[in-house]
Amino acid sequence: MTEFAFTCTGVRADAYAAGPTLVFRLRITATGGARVHAIALRCQIRIEPARRGYGPAEAEGLADLFGERSRWGNTLQPVQFAQVSVMVPSFTGETETDLVVPCTYDMDIAATRYFQALAEGEVPLLMLFSGTAFTGDAGFHVEPVPWDREASYRMPVAVWREMVEQHFPGCGWLRLPRDTMDELLAYRSRHALASWEATVRALLDAAAPAEPQVPSGPVRLGAILPRLTERTAP
């Protein structure tokens, strides 16, 4: 059987994708310079949070995922990031190909919350490979890509932030139940508000506590203190 080795050589944000997308660059090596007609490759990507350190602000942002730092010895477990497939074209010996990974900015997704909590540095990833390879010089053989094929990669946090800013500059997302969204839409229509930002801002302004009224001009003592009467006078 042909032995395959996988290496991730880089990652970039796809500036032309319709949605947030990362593109990982994979190097695939077939031992002995074997002829490979194609590989139907599957890749599972996991975040390995225990393989990096965290500052106080990052630890606070990760509390909803892993709890207090004192518990991290038990809770800092791998987080599923993505599972994607790619068809690798014909090559002999070695080739490179792109692994396209669609992403989301949904903050209910554990991987997204993890990325968002990181201020800088790198994200430790583990890429697990499997699939089917079609090999052979004369005709072809069908071979499995063993389940133990894997590659480690440390993705810069800056690449994730660049990807998010390309599609949602300066914005965040909030998922709400459908009935709540219907009520918000009705409120927006009723008040002829131009955007969702204006809708939320109007609700926040309406819910804000009223500021105390400060009297204008000079304040007379009698306007503040109660007037003494014969019954209360000393």
Side-chain angles (χ1 to χ4, degrees), residues 110-227:
T112 304
R113 295 208 305 276
Y114 177 85
F115 290 134
Q116 185 65 23
L118 303 184
E120 58 185 9
E122 298 172 331
V123 180
L125 301 176
L126 180 63
M127 311 177 81
L128 307 171
F129 299 98
S130 62
T132 303
F134 304 90
T135 65
D137 293 325
F140 67 88
H141 306 285
V142 179
E143 305 179 18
V145 176
W147 285 88
D148 62 351
R149 303 295 90 178
E150 61 183 46
S152 296
Y153 182 68
R154 302 186 72 86
M155 182 183 75
V157 174
V159 175
W160 170 268
R161 296 195 173 276
E162 175 190 352
M163 177 197 69
V164 172
E165 284 298 311
Q166 285 175 353
H167 294 274
F168 312 118
C171 297
W173 287 98
L174 181 64
R175 188 175 71 172
L176 297 172
R178 183 169 299 172
D179 56 348
T180 305
M181 283 297 302
D182 291 342
E183 292 182 37
L184 279 174
L185 182 58
Y187 179 88
R188 175 177 173 177
S189 300
R190 190 163 57 249
H191 293 81
L193 297 168
S195 65
W196 287 115
E197 180 182 358
T199 303
V200 175
R201 175 53 56 191
L203 289 169
L204 291 175
D205 291 343
E211 296 183 359
Q213 296 293 329
V214 178
S216 58
V219 180
R220 293 182 296 106
L221 183 61
I224 300 178
L225 298 177
R227 182 178 299 174

Side-chain angles (χ1 to χ4, degrees), residues 6 18 33 35 41 65 86 88 97 110 112 129 191-192 194 200 206 209 224 230:
F6 299 88
R35 172 70 184 278
L41 188 65
L65 285 178
V86 61
V88 181
T97 190
T112 304
F129 299 98
H191 293 81
V200 175
I224 300 178
E230 293 181 358

